[in-house]
Amino acid sequence: MPANRPSTNSIAGAEVVSHWLTQSRLSGFSVSRMKRAESASVGEDINRQLADIQSQIRAAMTLLLELQAQRSGLLTVLDLVNNLGAPIRMLPIEILSTIFYYCVSSTKSIHKGGVFDAIRIASVCSSWRTIALGDSRLWTDLFIQSMWQSVAADEMECDMLQTIQLRSGTSPLSLSVVGGMSAVIHQPVTLTVLRNLAPRCTKLVLLDMDDTHYHSLMLSADGFRPSTLAIENELRENSFDLDTITFKSTVRTLRVTLRDGLYNGEWENLNSLDIGHTGHENTLPQRLPSCSSLQSLTLRFSNHADVQPLLISESIVLLELIIPSPSSCDPDTMFRGAILPKLHHLVIQGDWTSWGTCSHHRWHEAVKSLTLTSKCVLTSLSIAGMYGTDCCLIKLLEVLPSLRDFVFIPLAPGHTVETQSFKDLFRRLTFPSFAQRAMGDPLCRYLTNLQLELNVGYFEEAALANMIISRLELLPYQQMWGWSKLQNIVVSVKGVASAGGSLQSLTHLRDSGKLTLMS
């Protein structure tokens, strides 16, 4: 090899590249035999080095893949090790199963079966699936929507129902069935499964059900004896008659949104009645059902209610009025001629922030008339989202001298409660000082339980904190002299309190036996 020939070990070096670039330029088109032999020898060396380098690359790539696989495996093991130390792993299976049950139960409604949430829980991992499948309570809220729509949909509903039938064991069931506008053109195979499940259905919900769908359901799946029945029909074309129900004697709780309803002696065992959308299209008969066992009545007024039922019952203990707008209910008309001698609990809900002061005043007069005419003693009052700056709420409480339980939750405190007026209300309910209590006039002499919901954004934090803390300072004197029976106070504070503010200093009251502060 000539002395000036570059080494093959550095064949790709910068000096070698420069050398061969110069040789290429100087040689032109005429290359000697010796140069050609030298270039051929160098080319062979280069090919050998390329083959060696390619082999090293393949080996490096193999090593890289192996290292990546090892890294992935180590990460997987690390996740498993960390999971073993996760806080949720410390929970006993019984506790985790209870959490699953509450998750499923909280989503139960007449529009969506909780069983779908049970399916989601069982799909998280094998451990959760084992726990979910082992708890029959998670598989008791059934929802059937499409069995009358087509044969294919019916078969899918049937398969799902058969699976859930096995998972629910012998637990009581809640069943929701959707009728809709589809015609009954075939005998659904789903009904054959429902025939076996019907005796276990303690709650039956019929959605958009007409007489045709109802008879198809009853004929094929006879045996329903639910204690809770809900009927919601939002389709004007669908008609359903309560008289067609054959299991009235087993129903204890009834909720209906039908246009017409007849609650005769056949509903004798009814304890709770919830009537939705009472108005000119969904009217209640002028007289309430003559059920001697009826104790709870809920009236849900629509936006344009012009018909109020005649409230006459010898057994009703709880009356709940849900009113979305001021124009949907007239308190004078509602309580005119009412005879409810056993009424003790009154609940009023509705966003009346746009109603005028004069309209607010009519409510305490109407309630006063109710207590005088019916000769009932109201001991519990719950108000959500009503009464305003005219302190009509105080006037209402003044006509309820025997009140023991009071819940006040304004929906929009910034519009319905004036700071100074509410301070006066709070003072007369809790008597924040010795002098005020000794000289003041108690608003509720027999009040034992008080629940309030306040808003930080509307009240001054210092004033709100003073109202709460003054109540605690009075307790020893109040108990000593027997001034008031008020023992349980729950104050729920909505909004974000300032850091280090007056409310932050009251966080110790969360565990206080005298007052519960929630924020």
Side-chain angles (χ1 to χ4, degrees), residues 174-424:
S174 173
L175 174 64
S176 301
V177 183
V178 180
M181 295 298 298
S182 59
V184 181
I185 59 176
H186 69 286
Q187 187 70 11
V189 295
T190 303
L191 293 179
T192 60
V193 184
L194 287 180
R195 184 181 296 111
N196 299 326
L197 298 179
R200 291 168 50 194
C201 292
T202 58
K203 179 179 180 181
L204 179 61
V205 181
L206 305 178
L207 303 173
D208 295 333
M209 187 75 62
D210 59 12
D211 290 333
T212 305
H213 291 93
Y214 176 77
H215 287 302
S216 174
L217 179 64
M218 291 297 113
L219 289 175
S220 300
D222 190 19
F224 284 109
R225 299 293 183 270
S227 58
T228 300
L229 175 63
I231 304 174
E232 180 170 334
N233 197 340
E234 298 181 353
L235 301 177
R236 295 177 179 269
E237 294 80 1
N238 283 9
S239 60
F240 185 78
D241 190 357
L242 288 177
D243 288 337
T244 60
I245 297 176
T246 58
F247 45 81
K248 298 185 182 71
S249 60
T250 68
V251 178
R252 301 293 186 272
T253 302
L254 175 64
R255 182 179 187 273
V256 294
T257 59
L258 300 177
R259 300 179 184 178
D260 300 304
L262 181 60
Y263 311 93
N264 47 30
E266 296 181 5
W267 298 93
E268 184 60 32
N269 296 321
L270 199 63
N271 294 330
S272 176
L273 176 61
D274 184 339
I275 302 176
H277 307 302
T278 303
H280 67 283
E281 292 184 350
N282 300 304
T283 58
L284 182 72
Q286 287 299 305
R287 187 178 177 87
L288 284 178
S290 58
C291 309
S292 60
S293 60
L294 185 64
Q295 296 184 348
S296 173
L297 174 63
T298 301
L299 301 179
R300 300 172 184 268
F301 291 87
S302 63
N303 291 330
H304 303 287
D306 54 12
V307 177
Q308 278 81 27
L310 187 58
L311 300 179
I312 299 177
S313 175
E314 296 291 333
S315 58
I316 290 181
V317 177
L318 168 64
L319 176 60
E320 182 178 16
L321 307 177
I322 301 178
I323 307 165
S325 66
S327 60
S328 61
C329 180
D330 181 358
D332 298 328
T333 305
M334 168 58 64
F335 295 138
R336 185 181 300 124
I339 301 177
L340 304 172
K342 293 186 179 181
L343 183 65
H344 291 296
H345 310 282
L346 179 62
V347 179
I348 306 175
Q349 298 183 30
D351 187 2
W352 292 6
T353 57
S354 61
W355 227 16
T357 302
C358 59
S359 300
H360 285 151
H361 278 293
R362 293 159 56 184
W363 268 95
H364 80 277
E365 293 293 340
V367 173
K368 181 179 180 180
S369 174
L370 172 66
T371 56
L372 294 177
T373 304
S374 299
K375 297 182 180 180
C376 62
V377 179
L378 287 174
T379 59
S380 174
L381 177 64
S382 177
I383 296 179
M386 60 178 297
Y387 294 92
T389 57
D390 58 342
C391 273
C392 180
L393 180 57
I394 294 181
K395 297 180 181 179
L396 175 61
L397 295 177
E398 288 175 346
V399 302
L400 302 175
S402 300
L403 199 64
R404 289 177 172 82
D405 302 297
F406 177 47
V407 179
F408 179 53
I409 305 176
L411 295 182
H415 299 283
T416 59
V417 179
E418 188 177 81
T419 304
Q420 188 59 42
S421 299
F422 191 82
K423 286 181 180 178
D424 182 58

Side-chain angles (χ1 to χ4, degrees), residues 75-128:
L75 289 176
T76 301
V77 174
L78 180 61
D79 289 338
L80 294 175
V81 171
N82 291 335
N83 286 339
L84 291 177
I88 196 172
R89 294 279 185 172
M90 301 173 61
L91 292 177
I93 294 179
E94 295 79 9
I95 300 298
L96 192 59
S97 179
T98 302
I99 294 175
F100 292 163
Y101 170 70
Y102 284 127
C103 290
V104 173
S105 301
S106 64
T107 58
K108 285 185 177 181
S109 69
I110 61 175
H111 294 294
K112 177 183 178 182
V115 69
F116 297 115
D117 292 294
I119 293 174
R120 295 186 184 96
I121 291 175
S123 303
V124 173
C125 62
S126 59
S127 300
W128 282 26

Side-chain angles (χ1 to χ4, degrees), residues 27 159 363 441 484 508:
S27 61
D159 291 342
W363 268 95
D441 179 26
S484 172
H508 65 283

